[in-house]
Amino acid sequence: MTAKYGKLSTLAALSALLWLPAVSAQEASLGDPTTMALTRKLSVGIAAGLMRFDTNFKFTDRATGRSVFLDSEGSMGLPEVKTIPLIYGFWRPSPKHGLGFSYFSVFRQSELVAIDRRFGDLSVDGRAVLEDDTRFYTLAYNYTLFQDSRAFLFASFGINAIDLKYDFDAFGVLSIDDEPVQTGQYRERIEQFAPIPMIGLDAWFAITQKWSFGARAAFVAGEVADVRALILESRIRAKYDFNRNVGLIIGLNYFDGDVTLNSTDVKTEINYGFEGLFLGLDVGF
């Protein structure tokens, strides 16, 4: 379900990126006034997002070839819907050049007590706790490709950093494929910080002096040390400016990432996805 709606969101964002400058060129010939949304040189905002998550993990022991698959929301009971904070901003010292940043974090936890449950290939007779404490950072250089009185389109080049932290604790009898492999306490921790190259396109189109719409599509791919990542992110946004300095923003966000961690003993494959609605306020000058 996430992948289906995510593809639709991405296609819509990409279509808007191509469509907005063309519409703007037609409207600009009518002599449009300068809009509030396109005149700011500095803007900082904070938002809250209500997101639906879909994440899973696969651990493969390199020595034995044995794999364990965990569905975080399904079998492990992590909250599927969660509110997350988002901080973002940009600085445009000139019409052609600028810097942008964003930060958001996720914290989810589940605890299953007195259980005898199967989690894919893994089963636990006892107690299990799973915690997700992951952070995402973006820092990008923005280059304006097109701009007039109603719209601008810019390309982003930068770094998308993933600060991944997952803890899985189990106590009791741990079995894989119904074969007991450990009795007592079992702990698996994933803790990795990976800065990955990012490229994206972002467009804004002002309908009136107060209302504007935007679309963004970003692609992250690369390998750093023992980490390989492939990420697709898209956003569709609407903004209402109360005045030249304060605005309200609402939008849809889609994120889908495949991250592989290669260590000496274990190969960890992670699919981290979410989509949902965000609402926030920003201040600009």
Side-chain angles (χ1 to χ4, degrees), residues 153-202:
L153 171 69
F154 62 87
S156 298
F157 309 92
I159 296 295
N160 191 312
I162 307 170
D163 189 6
L164 189 68
K165 186 182 294 184
Y166 256 83
D167 282 309
F168 175 67
D169 289 300
F171 185 84
V173 179
L174 185 74
S175 302
I176 298 178
D177 293 331
D178 298 322
E179 179 183 343
V181 295
Q182 188 168 336
T183 301
Q185 186 172 11
Y186 173 82
R187 168 171 289 183
E188 185 69 44
R189 166 169 284 192
I190 303 173
E191 192 169 8
Q192 184 72 50
F193 180 82
I196 307 295
M198 178 272 297
I199 185 171
L201 282 175
D202 206 316

Side-chain angles (χ1 to χ4, degrees), residues 90-247:
F90 69 84
W91 175 49
R92 295 184 73 203
S94 72
K96 278 289 185 182
H97 307 283
L99 295 174
F101 74 91
S102 67
Y103 162 82
F104 65 91
S105 63
V106 178
F107 182 80
R108 301 180 295 160
Q109 187 179 57
S110 69
E111 182 172 3
L112 306 172
V113 183
I115 60 171
D116 182 4
R117 184 178 296 185
R118 177 178 294 277
F119 308 101
D121 302 323
L122 174 71
S123 61
V124 178
D125 184 4
R127 170 180 172 272
V129 177
L130 181 63
E131 183 178 287
D132 174 12
D133 186 11
T134 302
R135 293 171 172 82
F136 299 85
Y137 309 84
T138 300
L139 179 62
Y141 162 73
N142 300 327
Y143 179 77
T144 303
L145 302 173
F146 171 88
Q147 182 171 3
D148 64 16
S149 61
R150 278 191 180 267
F152 68 88
L153 171 69
F154 62 87
S156 298
F157 309 92
I159 296 295
N160 191 312
I162 307 170
D163 189 6
L164 189 68
K165 186 182 294 184
Y166 256 83
D167 282 309
F168 175 67
D169 289 300
F171 185 84
V173 179
L174 185 74
S175 302
I176 298 178
D177 293 331
D178 298 322
E179 179 183 343
V181 295
Q182 188 168 336
T183 301
Q185 186 172 11
Y186 173 82
R187 168 171 289 183
E188 185 69 44
R189 166 169 284 192
I190 303 173
E191 192 169 8
Q192 184 72 50
F193 180 82
I196 307 295
M198 178 272 297
I199 185 171
L201 282 175
D202 206 316
W204 280 97
F205 176 68
I207 303 297
T208 68
Q209 284 193 335
K210 289 182 175 291
W211 278 104
S212 58
F213 293 88
R216 173 176 174 80
F219 181 70
V220 181
E223 187 169 353
V224 178
D226 296 326
V227 182
R228 186 172 69 251
L230 179 63
I231 298 170
L232 180 63
E233 183 176 15
S234 61
R235 293 176 189 165
I236 301 175
R237 301 152 293 181
K239 185 179 179 184
Y240 179 79
D241 288 301
F242 298 109
N243 52 51
R244 289 192 176 276
N245 302 113
V246 182

Side-chain angles (χ1 to χ4, degrees), residues 42-79:
L42 176 67
S43 182
V44 178
I46 184 168
L50 184 63
M51 301 296 165
R52 183 181 298 276
F53 289 83
D54 183 10
T55 58
N56 55 70
F57 298 80
K58 183 180 179 182
F59 304 96
T60 303
D61 187 285
R62 294 190 181 278
T64 63
R66 175 176 284 166
S67 296
V68 173
F69 178 83
L70 295 179
D71 182 352
S72 301
E73 293 77 30
S75 55
M76 288 304 301
L78 276 182

